[in-house]
Amino acid sequence: YALGTRAWTQVVNELSAPTRRYGHSLFSLGNRLVVYGGCNHAINSFSPALHCFDLQGRCWSCLAIGGVLPRARSSHAAIPCRGGFLIFGGRGLGNERFND
């Protein structure tokens, strides 16, 4: 949505765009929107994927994640912090509740 023109513009769904989900987090980090986690209820699948939408280039990318991965989750909190981000809580498979 462009405030100046009060008009919506559809972004073409690319191969690297996130799959449909709910319970994910979305936050801004510099010139990017970051989508983390979430659940696809239709296939009972929780996503550990990290996707970025470049606000200037208007394109999606799926980021490679290294190190010890957090458990895949939905309904968590996430905030940008020191050039990265923090996640807390949420739920996983079998309705497991996280406190990490």
Side-chain angles (χ1 to χ4, degrees), residues 1-89:
Y1 184 78
L3 294 174
T5 61
R6 297 182 183 170
W8 288 96
T9 303
Q10 183 175 358
V11 176
V12 176
N13 192 5
E14 302 174 2
L15 293 175
S16 55
T19 58
R20 62 182 171 184
R21 64 191 66 204
Y22 68 91
H24 55 280
S25 54
L26 171 72
F27 54 90
S28 63
L29 193 61
N31 290 335
R32 297 179 287 184
L33 294 177
V34 179
V35 174
Y36 174 75
C39 179
N40 181 329
H41 184 69
I43 58 173
N44 196 30
S45 173
F46 288 79
S47 175
L50 184 61
H51 290 84
C52 287
F53 182 73
D54 183 313
L55 293 168
Q56 291 178 332
R58 301 181 54 79
C59 61
W60 285 101
S61 61
C62 184
L63 300 180
I65 304 173
V68 178
L69 301 180
R71 292 176 286 179
R73 65 192 66 212
S74 70
S75 306
H76 56 281
I79 60 166
C81 181
R82 299 181 184 172
F85 69 99
L86 300 172
I87 60 170
F88 179 78

